[in-house]
Amino acid sequence: VLEELVSRRKSGEPLQYILGKWEFMGLPFYTRPCALIPRQDTETLCEEALSIGGKTLLDLCCGTGCIGVSLAKLGGFEVTFGDISPDCLALARENAAINQIFSDRFTAVTGDVIGDRAMMESLKGHYDVVLANIVADVIIPLSRVVPEFLQEDSIFICSGILNTRLPEVLDALEKNGLQILSTEQQEDWCRVTAALLET
């Protein structure tokens, strides 16, 4: 067994997938190749959401669910997970369970939020905080639909943006009726906090 693990690591497979579990925000999370590995620098997104506070949270492109689960556990949020991958949503449910976040505290919805009206209807409603920790190529089209989930005092936080793509993301957010509240850069990655444009 040890030889197999060493062989997998030598072949370039990430340690987090080999171990099958990783820590994020001091909490345990299962990891599988269907979802990105929870990264320590993403914890700053959670810290930003915790500092803002609120009751309801939409975690778009949720992957492992580490962000939504952490905020449910540490901030008391009621979470809606959204992802195009059924495997990711199954993983998010498992990670909610191992952190004792039970089904009365979260909802999981599968589909493409950008092009699927049924998915949009399933997610319908306004949330205190909407999050998307994904690449710029997904955040840019997401910016068209995110305002439908926001109300006057809601916040949208997106991260996972390479600093070279930040101007494109900011332009897309502003064109779709969001005002930029802050941007933060950590090494090559950026995080943006935005809200509905005041009228």
Side-chain angles (χ1 to χ4, degrees):
V1 176
L2 181 58
E3 287 180 1
E4 181 190 343
L5 296 178
V6 170
S7 175
R8 288 170 64 186
R9 188 70 189 106
K10 281 184 177 178
S11 72
E13 186 174 353
L15 178 63
Q16 294 91 335
Y17 291 150
I18 294 170
L19 296 175
K21 192 181 279 190
W22 202 245
E23 188 176 285
F24 180 84
M25 294 294 288
L27 302 171
F29 289 92
Y30 294 121
T31 57
R32 286 201 285 275
C34 65
L36 295 174
I37 295 162
R39 293 167 50 96
Q40 188 174 6
D41 53 10
T42 305
E43 292 183 359
T44 62
L45 181 151
C46 289
E47 289 161 1
E48 173 82 354
L50 288 170
S51 71
I52 292 165
K55 183 180 180 184
T56 56
L57 172 79
L58 175 58
D59 184 2
L60 291 170
C61 309
C62 67
T64 62
C66 66
I67 294 170
V69 169
S70 296
L71 292 172
K73 185 81 172 178
L74 304 174
F77 283 94
E78 295 175 9
V79 181
T80 299
F81 296 107
D83 204 288
I84 198 169
S85 165
D87 290 339
C88 284
L89 283 175
L91 182 58
R93 287 187 184 96
E94 288 179 44
N95 282 324
I98 64 167
N99 284 288
Q100 298 185 316
I101 304 299
F102 302 111
S103 57
D104 62 334
R105 298 275 308 284
F106 73 88
T107 303
V109 182
T110 310
D112 179 1
V113 70
I114 297 167
D116 183 349
R117 270 327 289 187
M119 170 77 160
M120 287 292 295
E121 288 299 313
S122 297
L123 296 174
K124 203 168 185 178
H126 295 127
Y127 301 86
D128 297 323
V129 180
V130 177
L131 302 172
N133 181 54
I134 195 73
V135 295
D137 283 339
V138 177
I139 292 171
I140 289 168
L142 266 182
S143 66
R144 297 196 304 267
V145 299
V146 161
E148 296 191 42
F149 304 128
L150 302 176
Q151 52 198 0
E152 187 177 326
D153 55 352
S154 301
I155 297 294
F156 174 53
I157 310 172
C158 53
S159 65
I161 306 158
L162 280 170
N163 57 11
T164 55
R165 304 294 305 278
L166 180 62
E168 296 170 69
V169 171
L170 296 179
D171 183 58
L173 293 173
E174 290 175 336
K175 281 181 177 175
N176 286 292
L178 296 168
Q179 59 178 335
I180 309 305
L181 302 181
S182 67
T183 60
E184 297 289 336
Q185 185 171 333
Q186 188 173 6
E187 296 180 357
D188 295 333
W189 301 93
C190 298
R191 182 181 78 245
V192 179
T193 303
L196 286 175
L197 186 64
E198 293 180 3
T199 55

